[in-house]
Amino acid sequence: MRADVRHVADGTYLVHGSNTNWVILTEGDAVTLIDTGYPGDRRLLLDSLTAIGSSPEAVTAVLITHAHNDHLGSAEYLRAAHGTPVLLHEAEVPHARRDFLQQVSVGEVLRNSWRPGVLPWMVHVLRSGGTEQHPVAGPSPFPSDGPLDLPGRPVPVHTPGHTDGHCVYHLPDAGVVVSGDALVSGHAISRVRGPQLLPRMFDHDRERTTASLDIIARLDGDVLLPGHGPLHRGPVKDAARLARERTF
């Protein structure tokens, strides 16, 4: 499998991994990486950097939307091997260290195994290292409010619910919102296409996840880069509204 790298805006790339997306922001030779896919996506992650003419050494920081295994997969590898800072919302830092785990349990997945697509998705998760734990030994909270002094000048926006410290990243100048799992456009076990919330079992607090759609709706942008599913073009506020209408 090859990394599917899409150039979506100036200095902005969406990468489709095996079942999860990550985003690369560039400025000159420097790179910001948002999320890292499953542990088993490491080769795809490194290939995606090569595809844009970059390398792991050029990554100035890894930003994590939330510390689930399919987004945190290679964060500790980059930190340990290359000294790359791993930054998250302060509420998500202990989650990245695995002081606790806010992730759907195997039992909950098995109870939903009758749903279409769940069993093939479970097989993929196992093959991709999705049940492994790769805690980040030294995660850090964002150093300040507002835009981060990193390539792309991403602005973290706290959108709790999927996990307590989930963040989306707003790129105001590019009109882009990197939405992680707070707002997606598809998933392996969803029969819906387009803006939506993930199936309920994946959220730590569904009520807060739904409320966070109002936060996303206030962000100015017309390009949505989700953690799962394809790029979505159109006003982000409309995408958030549609996801709320589809909530069940």
Side-chain angles (χ1 to χ4, degrees):
M1 182 178 178
R2 291 187 175 184
D4 181 3
V5 182
R6 308 290 179 96
H7 184 211
V8 299
D10 188 30
T12 305
Y13 300 84
L14 176 65
V15 186
H16 297 291
S18 61
N19 224 339
T20 305
N21 304 332
W22 54 90
V23 172
I24 303 172
L25 308 177
T26 63
E27 187 175 298
D29 294 332
V31 164
T32 301
L33 182 62
I34 303 179
D35 286 344
T36 66
Y38 280 101
D41 285 342
R42 184 170 303 163
R43 175 45 53 193
L44 294 176
L45 180 73
L46 298 177
D47 286 350
S48 70
L49 292 170
T50 301
I52 66 163
S54 190
S55 68
E57 293 81 5
V59 179
T60 57
V62 176
L63 305 181
I64 300 295
T65 58
H66 64 292
H68 282 168
N69 294 343
D70 56 333
H71 297 259
L72 196 68
S74 288
E76 172 60 13
Y77 162 77
L78 291 167
R79 190 203 67 80
H82 302 285
T84 312
V86 179
L87 306 179
L88 314 88
H89 187 273
E90 60 182 358
E92 202 71 2
V93 167
H95 194 195
R97 289 195 303 255
R98 288 300 181 258
D99 295 354
F100 55 82
L101 183 61
Q102 294 179 340
Q103 189 154 336
V104 64
S105 67
V106 173
E108 181 69 14
V109 172
L110 290 174
R111 285 191 290 274
N112 283 271
S113 61
W114 58 272
R115 297 181 183 276
V118 170
L119 287 177
W121 171 78
M122 286 176 62
V123 171
H124 173 80
V125 168
L126 292 171
R127 288 177 174 172
S128 302
T131 59
E132 302 171 6
Q133 298 300 332
H134 293 265
V136 179
S140 300
F142 304 124
S144 61
D145 294 332
L148 299 174
D149 187 18
L150 296 169
R153 299 299 182 267
V155 181
V157 180
H158 188 207
T159 48
H162 187 63
T163 64
D164 286 346
H166 188 290
C167 273
V168 306
Y169 294 94
H170 187 204
L171 313 177
D173 292 343
V176 170
V177 175
V178 181
S179 59
D181 284 4
L183 174 59
V184 302
S185 61
H187 190 269
I189 70 170
S190 174
R191 303 286 77 99
V192 177
R193 295 293 176 262
Q196 60 189 283
L197 294 181
L198 286 172
R200 182 180 296 269
M201 69 175 177
F202 293 119
D203 286 334
H204 178 65
D205 185 331
R206 184 65 161 196
E207 184 175 348
R208 294 181 81 195
T209 303
T210 304
S212 284
L213 289 173
D214 293 337
I215 299 172
I216 295 171
R218 292 195 289 269
L219 301 177
D220 186 26
D222 55 12
V223 177
L224 186 74
L225 305 184
H228 301 274
L231 170 151
H232 177 79
R233 293 191 183 275
V236 169
K237 64 180 180 181
D238 290 348
R241 175 187 51 77
L242 181 56
R244 180 180 282 278
E245 291 173 356
R246 290 171 163 173
T247 299
F248 55 90

